[in-house]
Amino acid sequence: MPRWLPRAVVLVLALIACFQLGSWAFHQLTGLLVNILIAFFLALAIEPAVARMSARGMRRGLATFLVFLGVFVAAVGFVVLLGSMLAGQIVAMVQGFPGYLDSVIGTINTTFHTKLSRLAIQDSLLHSDWLQKYVQNSATGVLDVSATVLGGLFRLLTIGLFSFYFAADGPRLRRALCSVLPPAKQSEVLRAWEIAVAKTGGYLYSRGLMALVSGIAHYIVFVVLDVPYAPALAVWVGLVSQFIPTIGTYLAGALPMLIAFPDSPWYALYVLGFVVVYQQFENYVLQPKLTARTVDIHPAVAFGSVIAGTALLGAVGALIAIPAVATLQAFLGAYVKRYEVTEGAAAGSAGAAGDPATPSPRPWRGRLPGPR
């Protein structure tokens, strides 16, 4: 046996053990790493406001606290207003449901010549095995729902704390990062940081603008249909559909339908139709143009980045994919050497695009040489 073989075997086994340990640790810390990534992008989003307040003489920690306080107060006020509105509407819906059910049963009896009764239907539902099994399963799932809610609250607290520290200690964090890099690399890190702040702010600006357009459009429809609480519902649709990826559209459209259903089921269908049509307009017309302008990336790249982010990190990846790709594209663009387009290439591209201003080559009108 060669002398180096036992040592090589031990080295290979040690490397495999280190890889397995690192893989296990990474999978265990995936949730924490995702929370830190979200907190970092939130800190980048509020960085312009904090920096502006800090430039006026306010301490950076206090400025960060005031920004977070304003966001928290606005969010709590919106949730309380929407919760009180929804509770009142649900109570009115429950009180008016028996009368609506009687009208539906009367229509069915008149149309199909049946003899259905609301009391008989209620009695059959109350004594059905399906309802009893559903109640038992719901009772056993209360603990799971409570654990999910507590886990979500803990995750929000973790993201809030990390984002506060990132925003409050932003200059110190940049200095600590640059202190371990050579001077040539320090300028690149600072440039990447500034680009990330600009692109993240632009992305949030585009989302806010789309939320405003969506809220105004839905408010007009709600007023025309005479849906109760039209202003609050318009704000709900605008914010939820833009800042909650993937399922935000469904959550945003479900609440106005629920509010409009007691007045008229047809109004609920009209609201559903408008939500679907507007969503298509937003996905294929409004969102690509606004996103491409604010974060300066092609609409196809923006769409592909959202799909890739969703495949990698789910809803979180869909939310941060566009600013991350825009930051990477802008940072790499500074190191890509560009050249002037030659006249031949410019003429060829214009001719291929059908530019009438570019003269096309004249056709050859000579005679082909015949055989001698």
Coordinates of all heavy atoms in Angstrom, one line a residue, residues 251-327:
L251 N -56.5 37.5 -3.1 CA -56.9 38.1 -1.9 C -57.6 39.5 -2.1 O -58.6 39.8 -1.5 CB -55.7 38.3 -0.9 CG -55.1 37.0 -0.4 CD1 -53.9 37.3 0.5 CD2 -56.1 36.2 0.4
A252 N -57.0 40.3 -3.0 CA -57.5 41.6 -3.3 C -58.9 41.5 -3.9 O -59.8 42.3 -3.6 CB -56.5 42.4 -4.2
G253 N -59.1 40.6 -4.8 CA -60.4 40.5 -5.5 C -61.5 39.8 -4.7 O -62.7 40.0 -4.9
A254 N -61.1 39.0 -3.7 CA -62.1 38.2 -2.9 C -62.9 39.1 -2.0 O -64.1 38.9 -1.8 CB -61.4 37.1 -2.2
L255 N -62.2 40.1 -1.4 CA -62.9 40.9 -0.4 C -64.0 41.8 -1.0 O -65.1 41.9 -0.5 CB -61.9 41.8 0.4 CG -62.4 42.6 1.5 CD1 -63.1 41.8 2.5 CD2 -61.3 43.5 2.1
P256 N -63.7 42.5 -2.1 CA -64.8 43.3 -2.7 C -66.0 42.4 -3.2 O -67.1 42.8 -3.1 CB -64.1 44.0 -3.9 CG -62.7 44.0 -3.6 CD -62.4 42.8 -2.8
M257 N -65.7 41.2 -3.7 CA -66.8 40.3 -4.0 C -67.6 39.9 -2.8 O -68.8 39.9 -2.9 CB -66.2 39.0 -4.7 CG -65.6 39.2 -6.0 SD -64.9 37.7 -6.7 CE -66.3 36.6 -6.6
L258 N -66.9 39.7 -1.7 CA -67.6 39.3 -0.4 C -68.5 40.5 0.0 O -69.6 40.3 0.5 CB -66.6 38.9 0.6 CG -67.2 38.4 2.0 CD1 -67.9 37.1 1.8 CD2 -66.1 38.3 3.0
I259 N -68.0 41.7 -0.1 CA -68.8 42.9 0.3 C -70.0 43.1 -0.6 O -71.0 43.5 -0.1 CB -67.9 44.1 0.4 CG1 -66.7 43.9 1.4 CG2 -68.6 45.4 0.8 CD1 -67.1 43.6 2.8
A260 N -69.8 42.9 -1.9 CA -70.8 43.2 -2.8 C -71.9 42.1 -2.9 O -73.0 42.3 -3.5 CB -70.3 43.4 -4.2
F261 N -71.6 40.9 -2.4 CA -72.5 39.8 -2.6 C -73.8 40.0 -1.8 O -74.9 39.6 -2.4 CB -71.8 38.5 -2.0 CG -72.6 37.3 -2.2 CD1 -72.6 36.6 -3.5 CD2 -73.3 36.7 -1.2 CE1 -73.4 35.5 -3.6 CE2 -74.1 35.6 -1.3 CZ -74.1 34.9 -2.6
P262 N -73.9 40.5 -0.6 CA -75.2 40.7 0.0 C -76.1 41.6 -0.7 O -77.4 41.4 -0.7 CB -74.9 41.2 1.4 CG -73.5 40.8 1.7 CD -72.8 40.9 0.3
D263 N -75.6 42.6 -1.4 CA -76.5 43.6 -2.1 C -77.0 42.9 -3.4 O -78.2 43.0 -3.7 CB -75.7 44.8 -2.4 CG -75.4 45.6 -1.2 OD1 -76.0 45.4 -0.2 OD2 -74.4 46.4 -1.3
S264 N -76.1 42.3 -4.1 CA -76.6 41.6 -5.3 C -75.5 40.6 -5.8 O -74.3 41.0 -5.9 CB -76.8 42.6 -6.5 OG -77.1 42.0 -7.7
P265 N -75.9 39.4 -6.0 CA -74.8 38.4 -6.5 C -74.3 38.8 -7.9 O -73.1 38.5 -8.2 CB -75.6 37.1 -6.6 CG -76.8 37.3 -5.6 CD -77.1 38.7 -5.7
W266 N -75.1 39.5 -8.7 CA -74.6 39.9 -10.0 C -73.5 41.0 -9.8 O -72.6 41.0 -10.6 CB -75.8 40.5 -10.8 CG -76.7 39.5 -11.3 CD1 -78.0 39.2 -10.8 CD2 -76.5 38.5 -12.3 NE1 -78.6 38.2 -11.4 CE2 -77.7 37.7 -12.3 CE3 -75.5 38.1 -13.1 CZ2 -77.8 36.6 -13.2 CZ3 -75.6 37.1 -14.0 CH2 -76.7 36.3 -14.0
Y267 N -73.6 41.8 -8.8 CA -72.6 42.8 -8.6 C -71.2 42.1 -8.2 O -70.2 42.6 -8.6 CB -72.9 43.8 -7.5 CG -74.0 44.8 -7.9 CD1 -74.5 45.7 -7.0 CD2 -74.4 44.9 -9.3 CE1 -75.4 46.7 -7.4 CE2 -75.3 45.8 -9.6 CZ -75.8 46.7 -8.7 OH -76.8 47.6 -9.1
A268 N -71.3 41.0 -7.5 CA -70.1 40.3 -7.2 C -69.5 39.7 -8.4 O -68.3 39.7 -8.6 CB -70.5 39.2 -6.2
L269 N -70.3 39.2 -9.3 CA -69.8 38.7 -10.6 C -69.2 39.8 -11.5 O -68.2 39.6 -12.1 CB -70.9 38.0 -11.4 CG -71.4 36.7 -10.8 CD1 -72.6 36.1 -11.6 CD2 -70.3 35.7 -10.7
Y270 N -69.8 41.0 -11.4 CA -69.3 42.1 -12.2 C -67.9 42.5 -11.6 O -67.0 42.8 -12.4 CB -70.2 43.3 -12.1 CG -71.5 43.1 -12.8 CD1 -72.7 43.8 -12.4 CD2 -71.6 42.2 -13.8 CE1 -73.9 43.6 -13.1 CE2 -72.8 42.0 -14.5 CZ -74.0 42.7 -14.1 OH -75.1 42.5 -14.7
V271 N -67.8 42.5 -10.3 CA -66.5 42.8 -9.6 C -65.4 41.8 -10.0 O -64.3 42.1 -10.4 CB -66.7 42.9 -8.1 CG1 -65.3 43.0 -7.4 CG2 -67.5 44.1 -7.7
L272 N -65.8 40.5 -10.0 CA -64.9 39.5 -10.4 C -64.4 39.7 -11.9 O -63.2 39.5 -12.2 CB -65.5 38.1 -10.3 CG -64.7 36.9 -10.7 CD1 -63.4 36.8 -10.0 CD2 -65.6 35.6 -10.6
G273 N -65.4 40.0 -12.8 CA -65.0 40.2 -14.2 C -64.0 41.4 -14.3 O -63.1 41.3 -15.1
F274 N -64.3 42.5 -13.6 CA -63.4 43.6 -13.8 C -62.0 43.3 -13.2 O -61.0 43.7 -13.7 CB -64.0 44.8 -13.1 CG -63.1 46.0 -13.2 CD1 -63.1 46.8 -14.3 CD2 -62.3 46.4 -12.1 CE1 -62.3 47.9 -14.4 CE2 -61.5 47.5 -12.2 CZ -61.5 48.3 -13.3
V275 N -62.0 42.6 -12.1 CA -60.7 42.2 -11.5 C -59.9 41.4 -12.4 O -58.7 41.6 -12.6 CB -60.9 41.5 -10.1 CG1 -59.6 40.9 -9.6 CG2 -61.4 42.5 -9.1
V276 N -60.5 40.4 -13.1 CA -59.8 39.6 -14.0 C -59.3 40.3 -15.2 O -58.1 40.2 -15.7 CB -60.7 38.4 -14.5 CG1 -60.1 37.6 -15.6 CG2 -61.0 37.5 -13.3
V277 N -60.2 41.2 -15.8 CA -59.8 42.0 -17.0 C -58.7 43.0 -16.6 O -57.7 43.1 -17.4 CB -61.0 42.7 -17.5 CG1 -60.6 43.7 -18.6 CG2 -62.0 41.7 -18.1
Y278 N -58.8 43.7 -15.5 CA -57.7 44.6 -15.1 C -56.4 43.9 -14.8 O -55.3 44.5 -15.1 CB -58.2 45.4 -13.9 CG -57.2 46.4 -13.5 CD1 -57.1 47.7 -14.1 CD2 -56.2 46.2 -12.5 CE1 -56.1 48.6 -13.8 CE2 -55.3 47.1 -12.1 CZ -55.2 48.3 -12.8 OH -54.3 49.2 -12.4
Q279 N -56.5 42.7 -14.3 CA -55.3 42.0 -14.0 C -54.5 41.6 -15.3 O -53.3 41.7 -15.3 CB -55.6 40.7 -13.2 CG -54.4 40.0 -12.7 CD -53.6 40.8 -11.7 OE1 -54.1 41.6 -11.0 NE2 -52.3 40.6 -11.7
Q280 N -55.3 41.3 -16.3 CA -54.6 41.0 -17.6 C -54.0 42.3 -18.2 O -52.9 42.2 -18.7 CB -55.6 40.4 -18.6 CG -56.3 39.1 -18.1 CD -55.3 38.1 -17.7 OE1 -54.3 37.8 -18.4 NE2 -55.4 37.4 -16.6
F281 N -54.7 43.4 -18.1 CA -54.2 44.6 -18.6 C -52.9 45.0 -17.8 O -51.9 45.5 -18.4 CB -55.2 45.7 -18.4 CG -54.7 47.1 -18.6 CD1 -54.4 47.6 -19.9 CD2 -54.5 47.9 -17.5 CE1 -53.9 48.9 -20.0 CE2 -54.0 49.2 -17.6 CZ -53.7 49.7 -18.9
E282 N -52.9 44.8 -16.5 CA -51.8 45.2 -15.7 C -50.6 44.3 -16.0 O -49.4 44.7 -16.1 CB -52.1 45.1 -14.2 CG -51.0 45.5 -13.3 CD -51.4 45.3 -11.8 OE1 -52.0 46.2 -11.3 OE2 -51.1 44.3 -11.2
N283 N -50.8 43.0 -16.2 CA -49.7 42.0 -16.4 C -49.1 42.2 -17.7 O -47.8 42.1 -17.8 CB -50.2 40.6 -16.3 CG -50.6 40.2 -14.8 OD1 -50.1 40.8 -13.9 ND2 -51.5 39.3 -14.7
Y284 N -49.8 42.5 -18.8 CA -49.3 42.6 -20.1 C -49.0 44.0 -20.7 O -48.3 44.1 -21.7 CB -50.3 41.8 -21.1 CG -50.3 40.4 -20.8 CD1 -51.4 39.8 -20.1 CD2 -49.3 39.5 -21.2 CE1 -51.5 38.5 -19.8 CE2 -49.4 38.1 -21.0 CZ -50.5 37.6 -20.3 OH -50.6 36.3 -20.0
V285 N -49.6 45.0 -20.0 CA -49.4 46.4 -20.5 C -48.8 47.3 -19.5 O -47.7 47.9 -19.8 CB -50.8 46.9 -21.0 CG1 -50.6 48.4 -21.5 CG2 -51.4 46.1 -22.1
L286 N -49.4 47.4 -18.4 CA -48.9 48.4 -17.4 C -47.7 48.0 -16.7 O -46.7 48.8 -16.6 CB -50.1 48.6 -16.4 CG -49.8 49.8 -15.4 CD1 -49.7 51.1 -16.1 CD2 -51.0 49.8 -14.4
Q287 N -47.7 46.8 -16.1 CA -46.5 46.4 -15.3 C -45.2 46.3 -16.1 O -44.2 46.8 -15.6 CB -46.8 45.1 -14.6 CG -45.7 44.5 -13.7 CD -46.0 43.3 -13.0 OE1 -47.2 42.9 -13.0 NE2 -45.1 42.6 -12.4
P288 N -45.2 45.7 -17.3 CA -43.9 45.7 -18.0 C -43.3 47.0 -18.3 O -42.1 47.3 -18.2 CB -44.2 44.9 -19.3 CG -45.4 44.1 -18.9 CD -46.2 44.9 -18.0
K289 N -44.2 48.0 -18.7 CA -43.7 49.3 -19.0 C -43.2 50.1 -17.8 O -42.1 50.6 -17.8 CB -44.8 50.1 -19.7 CG -45.1 49.6 -21.1 CD -46.2 50.5 -21.8 CE -46.5 50.0 -23.2 NZ -47.5 50.8 -23.8
L290 N -43.9 50.1 -16.7 CA -43.5 50.8 -15.5 C -42.3 50.2 -14.9 O -41.4 50.9 -14.4 CB -44.7 50.9 -14.5 CG -45.9 51.7 -14.9 CD1 -46.9 51.7 -13.8 CD2 -45.4 53.2 -15.1
T291 N -42.3 48.8 -14.8 CA -41.1 48.2 -14.2 C -39.9 48.4 -15.0 O -38.8 48.6 -14.5 CB -41.4 46.7 -14.0 OG1 -42.6 46.5 -13.3 CG2 -40.3 46.0 -13.3
A292 N -40.0 48.3 -16.3 CA -38.8 48.5 -17.2 C -38.3 49.9 -17.1 O -37.1 50.2 -17.1 CB -39.2 48.2 -18.6
R293 N -39.2 50.9 -16.9 CA -38.7 52.3 -16.8 C -38.1 52.6 -15.4 O -37.1 53.3 -15.3 CB -39.9 53.3 -17.0 CG -40.4 53.3 -18.5 CD -41.5 54.3 -18.7 NE -41.9 54.4 -20.0 CZ -42.8 55.2 -20.5 NH1 -43.4 56.0 -19.6 NH2 -43.2 55.2 -21.8
T294 N -38.7 52.1 -14.3 CA -38.2 52.5 -13.0 C -36.9 51.8 -12.6 O -36.1 52.3 -12.0 CB -39.3 52.3 -12.0 OG1 -39.8 50.9 -12.1 CG2 -40.4 53.2 -12.2
V295 N -36.9 50.5 -13.0 CA -35.7 49.7 -12.7 C -34.8 49.5 -13.9 O -33.7 48.8 -13.8 CB -36.0 48.4 -12.0 CG1 -36.7 48.6 -10.7 CG2 -36.9 47.6 -13.0
D296 N -35.2 50.0 -15.1 CA -34.3 50.0 -16.3 C -33.9 48.6 -16.7 O -32.7 48.3 -16.9 CB -33.1 50.9 -16.0 CG -32.4 51.2 -17.3 OD1 -33.0 51.2 -18.4 OD2 -31.2 51.6 -17.3
I297 N -34.9 47.7 -16.8 CA -34.6 46.4 -17.4 C -35.7 46.1 -18.4 O -36.8 46.7 -18.3 CB -34.5 45.3 -16.3 CG1 -35.9 45.2 -15.5 CG2 -33.4 45.5 -15.3 CD1 -35.9 44.1 -14.5
H298 N -35.4 45.2 -19.3 CA -36.3 44.8 -20.3 C -37.6 44.1 -19.7 O -37.4 43.4 -18.7 CB -35.7 43.9 -21.3 CG -36.4 43.8 -22.6 ND1 -37.4 42.8 -22.8 CD2 -36.4 44.5 -23.8 CE1 -37.9 42.9 -24.0 NE2 -37.3 43.9 -24.6
P299 N -38.8 44.3 -20.2 CA -39.9 43.7 -19.7 C -39.8 42.1 -19.7 O -40.3 41.5 -18.8 CB -41.1 44.1 -20.6 CG -40.6 45.4 -21.2 CD -39.1 45.3 -21.3
A300 N -39.2 41.6 -20.7 CA -39.0 40.1 -20.7 C -38.1 39.7 -19.6 O -38.3 38.6 -19.0 CB -38.5 39.7 -22.1
V301 N -37.0 40.5 -19.4 CA -36.1 40.1 -18.3 C -36.8 40.2 -16.9 O -36.6 39.4 -16.0 CB -34.9 41.0 -18.3 CG1 -33.9 40.7 -17.2 CG2 -34.1 40.8 -19.7
A302 N -37.7 41.3 -16.8 CA -38.4 41.4 -15.6 C -39.4 40.2 -15.3 O -39.4 39.7 -14.2 CB -39.2 42.7 -15.6
F303 N -40.0 39.8 -16.4 CA -41.0 38.7 -16.3 C -40.2 37.4 -16.0 O -40.6 36.6 -15.1 CB -41.8 38.5 -17.6 CG -42.8 37.4 -17.5 CD1 -43.9 37.5 -16.8 CD2 -42.6 36.3 -18.3 CE1 -44.8 36.5 -16.7 CE2 -43.5 35.3 -18.3 CZ -44.6 35.4 -17.5
G304 N -39.1 37.2 -16.6 CA -38.3 36.0 -16.4 C -37.7 36.0 -15.0 O -37.6 34.9 -14.4
S305 N -37.3 37.1 -14.5 CA -36.7 37.2 -13.2 C -37.7 36.9 -12.1 O -37.4 36.2 -11.1 CB -36.1 38.6 -12.9 OG -37.1 39.6 -12.9
V306 N -39.0 37.3 -12.3 CA -40.0 37.0 -11.3 C -40.3 35.5 -11.3 O -40.5 34.8 -10.3 CB -41.3 37.7 -11.7 CG1 -42.5 37.2 -10.9 CG2 -41.1 39.2 -11.5
I307 N -40.3 34.8 -12.5 CA -40.5 33.4 -12.6 C -39.4 32.6 -11.9 O -39.6 31.7 -11.1 CB -40.7 32.9 -14.0 CG1 -41.9 33.5 -14.6 CG2 -40.7 31.4 -14.1 CD1 -42.1 33.2 -16.1
A308 N -38.1 33.1 -12.2 CA -37.0 32.4 -11.5 C -36.9 32.7 -10.0 O -36.6 31.7 -9.3 CB -35.7 33.0 -12.2
G309 N -37.3 33.9 -9.6 CA -37.3 34.1 -8.1 C -38.4 33.3 -7.4 O -38.2 32.8 -6.3
T310 N -39.5 33.1 -8.1 CA -40.6 32.3 -7.5 C -40.2 30.9 -7.4 O -40.5 30.2 -6.4 CB -41.9 32.4 -8.3 OG1 -42.2 33.8 -8.5 CG2 -43.0 31.7 -7.7
A311 N -39.5 30.4 -8.4 CA -39.0 29.0 -8.4 C -37.9 28.8 -7.3 O -37.9 27.7 -6.7 CB -38.4 28.6 -9.8
L312 N -37.1 29.8 -7.0 CA -36.1 29.6 -6.0 C -36.5 29.8 -4.6 O -36.3 29.0 -3.7 CB -34.9 30.6 -6.4 CG -34.1 30.3 -7.7 CD1 -33.1 31.4 -7.9 CD2 -33.4 28.9 -7.6
L313 N -37.2 31.0 -4.4 CA -37.6 31.3 -3.0 C -39.1 31.5 -2.8 O -39.5 32.1 -1.7 CB -36.8 32.6 -2.6 CG -35.3 32.5 -2.6 CD1 -34.7 33.9 -2.3 CD2 -34.8 31.5 -1.5
G314 N -39.9 31.2 -3.8 CA -41.3 31.3 -3.6 C -41.8 32.8 -3.7 O -41.3 33.5 -4.5
A315 N -42.7 33.2 -2.8 CA -43.2 34.5 -2.8 C -42.2 35.6 -2.5 O -42.2 36.7 -3.1 CB -44.4 34.6 -1.8
V316 N -41.2 35.2 -1.6 CA -40.1 36.2 -1.3 C -39.3 36.4 -2.6 O -38.9 37.6 -2.9 CB -39.3 35.6 -0.1 CG1 -38.1 36.6 0.1 CG2 -40.1 35.5 1.1
G317 N -39.0 35.4 -3.3 CA -38.2 35.5 -4.5 C -38.9 36.3 -5.5 O -38.2 37.1 -6.3
A318 N -40.2 36.2 -5.7 CA -41.0 37.0 -6.6 C -40.9 38.4 -6.3 O -40.9 39.3 -7.1 CB -42.4 36.5 -6.7
L319 N -40.9 38.8 -5.0 CA -40.9 40.2 -4.5 C -39.6 40.9 -4.7 O -39.5 42.0 -5.1 CB -41.3 40.2 -3.0 CG -41.6 41.6 -2.5 CD1 -42.7 42.3 -3.2 CD2 -41.8 41.5 -1.0
I320 N -38.5 40.1 -4.5 CA -37.2 40.8 -4.6 C -36.4 40.5 -5.8 O -35.3 40.9 -6.0 CB -36.3 40.4 -3.3 CG1 -36.0 38.9 -3.4 CG2 -37.0 40.7 -2.1 CD1 -35.0 38.4 -2.3
A321 N -37.0 39.7 -6.7 CA -36.3 39.3 -7.9 C -35.9 40.5 -8.8 O -34.8 40.6 -9.3 CB -37.1 38.2 -8.7
I322 N -36.9 41.3 -9.1 CA -36.7 42.4 -10.0 C -35.7 43.4 -9.5 O -34.7 43.8 -10.3 CB -38.0 43.1 -10.4 CG1 -38.9 42.1 -11.1 CG2 -37.8 44.4 -11.2 CD1 -40.3 42.7 -11.5
P323 N -35.7 43.9 -8.3 CA -34.6 44.8 -7.8 C -33.3 44.1 -7.8 O -32.3 44.8 -8.1 CB -35.1 45.3 -6.5 CG -36.1 44.3 -6.0 CD -36.8 43.8 -7.3
A324 N -33.2 42.8 -7.5 CA -32.0 42.1 -7.4 C -31.4 42.0 -8.8 O -30.2 42.3 -9.0 CB -32.1 40.8 -6.8
V325 N -32.2 41.7 -9.8 CA -31.7 41.6 -11.2 C -31.3 42.9 -11.7 O -30.3 43.1 -12.5 CB -32.8 40.9 -12.1 CG1 -32.4 40.9 -13.5 CG2 -32.9 39.4 -11.7
A326 N -32.1 44.0 -11.4 CA -31.8 45.3 -11.9 C -30.4 45.8 -11.3 O -29.6 46.4 -12.0 CB -32.9 46.3 -11.5
T327 N -30.2 45.5 -10.0 CA -28.9 45.9 -9.4 C -27.8 45.1 -10.0 O -26.7 45.7 -10.3 CB -29.0 45.5 -7.9 OG1 -30.1 46.2 -7.3 CG2 -27.7 45.9 -7.2

